[in-house]
Amino acid sequence: MTILEPEPGAHRPVHKFGGSSLADAACFHRVAGIIHQLQQPDALIVVSAPGKTTNRLIELLNLFASGDTAAPEALAGLHAFQRHLIASTLPAEAAAPLLAALGEDIVSIAYVLEHDRLDDYQRGYIQAFGEVWSSRLLATVLQQQGVTAHSLDARRFLRVSGTPVQVEEDESRRLLEHILAEHPQQMQVVTGFIAADKEGRTRLLGRNGSDFSATLLGALADSSHTTIWSDVPGVFSADPRRIPEAHLLKRLALAEAAELARLGSPVLHSRTLGPVAASRQQLMLRCSYHPDDGHTRIERRPRREQGARIVTAVDDTVLVEMTISDRYQERVDALTDWLGKRGLAPLACKRRPDRKLWQIAYTREQAEQAFLVLRDHQPAGGFEGLQQREGFSLVALVGKNVTSQAEQCLQFYHALNEQPLEFIQPAKNGLSLVGVVRKTALDPLLLRLHQSLFSRPRRVGVLLFGRGNIGKAWLRLYKEQKARLEQELNLRLTLYGVFDTKGAMLASQGVEADTALNNFQPQTLVWPDWLEDLEEHGFDTMVALDCTASESLVQYYPAMVQQRIHLIAANKQAGAADSGFYATLKQALTEHRVKFLSNATVGAGLPVQSSLHQLRQSGEQIRAISGVFSGTLSWLFQHFDGSQPFSELLLQAWQQGLTEPDPRDDLNGQDVKRKLVILAREAGFDLDPSQVNVTSLVPDELAALSKESALECLHQLDDLLAERLAEAQHRGGVLRHVARFNAETQAASVGLEVVPANHPFVPLRPGDNVFAIETRHYRQNPMVIQGPGAGREVTAAAVQADLWQLLAAL
């Protein structure tokens, strides 16, 4: 079983397990196993009553209150269930104290029922036993596994007052700090759902109080992480029991989660999210039955992407209606706020001024309470004709600014207009679009909405930087592959902008590849003003392709990452930047959840970086990387046999376009150094460019000349290279320009070497690259990757492969 670990430095993490997660002995052992694997000795574990225990206790109370003769039998049945749960979960010796305590509890419950008036406090006292029993049993199971765990009754620290209950946070925090200080680095199994007032009377936290207890405890203890474990792994795009195609949302913005909770979600509840918003804790939802099935993380940071993410419904909805005269119409908003402060925020509201009618939608559970509160408030509220109307259902879309997404709104209106529609109301905060219809079979409607919204192609905007050899080759490839990529990945690709040194062409409807190739008419843009203007680009995803060698463009990478623009680079400058810049960029990529792919920077289309990733993921320890990384230098030393001076060979390569515009840029080893740094970092090592020992083939006097003068003086290379060739031949070897990185010594070098004639770096085709990777298991016989490592077409293909991989992952 794989358990998602909280980030390093997690402080007093909170884990809450609901009744369905603690239904029987197997569940208790499963939960204990999860907790044990977490290896968090200072964790706070919040528990609900086992299984349906709370329902049993409520049924017991109702039977006694009505004088039903079945009440003693119900108490005996409850006692028998709890005895069996303890006995089947624990060995006899460990179970004995809990069975004795349970017997005393049953006696206490019977005494209260027979001798006391069943007021709210006494009812709360009896209902609290379910959580107490869970806490005791789970703490004992953990102790049996060697975990130092204590059962903690929340009434010892959680102070509340008023009706409905309000938490006295300062006093609760003070009492909790004192308890935790007595048990440093020791696990506490805390009762959910229950609290106490200053008189020590039991108070209940109400519907879904245990989830609220968990996040409240997280806030009081200044916890860094709170995880709510239940029978589902989190929030889905729709109810998966009704829509099999629904997918789990790995991340959900706090505002979206709050809106979903307001609309009656059974997974999230508004009060649960309140302490999250007011503290530093991160909230995660997971499944205790299948911990590997994924999770939903609730994040404070709003999503960049806009539009609906969830289709939700409330099958049984009640409309509370009233008439309000013209002079009181301005009070409607205040009345809505008044209801919200009493925990009765409506699911949706509709004002009908022509009929002086105000309609409020509630779940059936809340409708009766809201009706009674409004009835008592009627004289002061300025409304009359208060009534309830049953027989409705509610359907809603939830997501950032969904109300301003014309296409989604139109689909929603069309779908609901085919139903017996009562009204449609967009939320003022833009987070939901709600429709109320006469009660009908909702599944077909939900399926239609889900398919129309979430099966639509993902809109991807692409920015291309660079119209040189690689950029133009990619444009031709993009034109050829666009339709296939869109079809296979269900995307809608738009070439939003193309940049070169003169400026850019930008078009929200897209720039045609032929236009970018043959009729490029750029406009001057000012950085970073243009980037700031890009914030509302309207695409689901934005990707930037850097097909330049520009160091200045790389300086804008962090700004693009902040705009949530994914990066694909053939440019080596970022991957081989100094450690400070590289670390900052990597941190920004992690924080903003942006991908950076750069497989085209080394080996062009060869699977070098992907092979390193696969080796690391398989558990291999990479010990060394070496090879011939330059296609130009590979070509030169494949042909350099002494039959002609090196300078003449170099000039031929330059004339054929095999070198950089200034061939000294190939000979000085800097490009190879950048490739070596990139590979070492991809292999997991912190190699700074300054640590690489580079031996340049360019004499100082030749390096000092202008490009034009240098081309006239290439003969200065001949004597030096002739000597090196003679040395190699004398030793029975050949010359190769080699890059090496040794992980054990952290030694890194680039330069000309004499290698044996039977070495893997010798039998290359002119222009080939070769990469040798040594690991724990590939040491005597290294993994060798060989092939064309340069060229506009193969490099553009590597960029396209990165684009495909990125979009498939998204």
Side-chain angles (χ1 to χ4, degrees), residues 647 650-651 664 698-699 701-703 705-718:
S647 59
L650 180 59
L651 198 57
R664 292 175 299 180
V698 183
E701 56 272 20
L702 187 61
L705 299 177
S706 66
K707 172 187 169 183
E708 291 73 17
S709 299
L711 289 172
E712 297 293 330
C713 299
L714 292 179
H715 61 272
Q716 295 181 16
L717 297 168
D718 292 341

Side-chain angles (χ1 to χ4, degrees), residues 86-87 90-97 99:
I86 294 170
L90 295 170
E93 185 178 350
L99 291 171

Side-chain angles (χ1 to χ4, degrees), residues 467-486:
R467 290 179 62 255
N469 290 334
I470 297 172
K472 289 181 178 178
W474 179 81
L475 283 167
R476 290 189 289 269
L477 194 59
Y478 167 77
K479 177 183 176 183
E480 176 187 320
Q481 295 290 320
K482 179 176 183 290
R484 177 182 167 217
L485 196 153
E486 287 181 327

Side-chain angles (χ1 to χ4, degrees), residues 490-506:
N490 192 28
L491 301 169
R492 186 183 302 159
L493 276 179
T494 301
L495 184 57
Y496 178 70
V498 180
F499 297 73
D500 70 3
T501 55
K502 298 177 182 177
M505 286 185 69
L506 293 171

Side-chain angles (χ1 to χ4, degrees), residues 385-526:
L386 186 67
Q387 64 172 334
Q388 295 185 68
R389 292 175 59 202
E390 300 182 355
F392 295 92
S393 298
L394 178 146
V395 178
L397 306 182
V398 178
K400 179 183 177 183
N401 291 339
V402 62
T403 56
S404 62
Q405 304 301 304
E407 181 181 348
Q408 294 184 344
C409 289
L410 185 62
Q411 291 172 335
F412 187 74
Y413 277 82
H414 280 171
L416 265 69
N417 270 324
E418 296 176 4
Q419 306 295 326
L421 178 65
E422 185 70 16
F423 65 80
I424 292 177
Q425 187 67 27
K428 289 183 178 179
N429 57 16
L431 287 167
S432 66
L433 189 62
V434 179
V436 176
V437 298
R438 286 281 183 182
K439 187 174 287 188
T440 183
L442 287 182
D443 287 8
L445 174 60
L446 296 176
L447 179 60
R448 175 182 171 183
L449 281 171
H450 191 272
Q451 288 179 340
S452 64
L453 290 169
F454 302 120
S455 297
R456 70 169 177 82
R458 189 178 185 89
R459 295 162 299 178
V460 178
V462 178
L463 303 171
L464 172 63
F465 293 91
R467 290 179 62 255
N469 290 334
I470 297 172
K472 289 181 178 178
W474 179 81
L475 283 167
R476 290 189 289 269
L477 194 59
Y478 167 77
K479 177 183 176 183
E480 176 187 320
Q481 295 290 320
K482 179 176 183 290
R484 177 182 167 217
L485 196 153
E486 287 181 327
Q487 181 179 1
E488 294 195 17
L489 297 183
N490 192 28
L491 301 169
R492 186 183 302 159
L493 276 179
T494 301
L495 184 57
Y496 178 70
V498 180
F499 297 73
D500 70 3
T501 55
K502 298 177 182 177
M505 286 185 69
L506 293 171
S508 58
Q509 73 276 14
V511 178
E512 292 296 329
D514 285 337
T515 301
L517 283 165
N518 306 314
N519 191 26
F520 190 65
Q521 298 176 2
Q523 294 182 348
T524 302
L525 293 178
V526 179

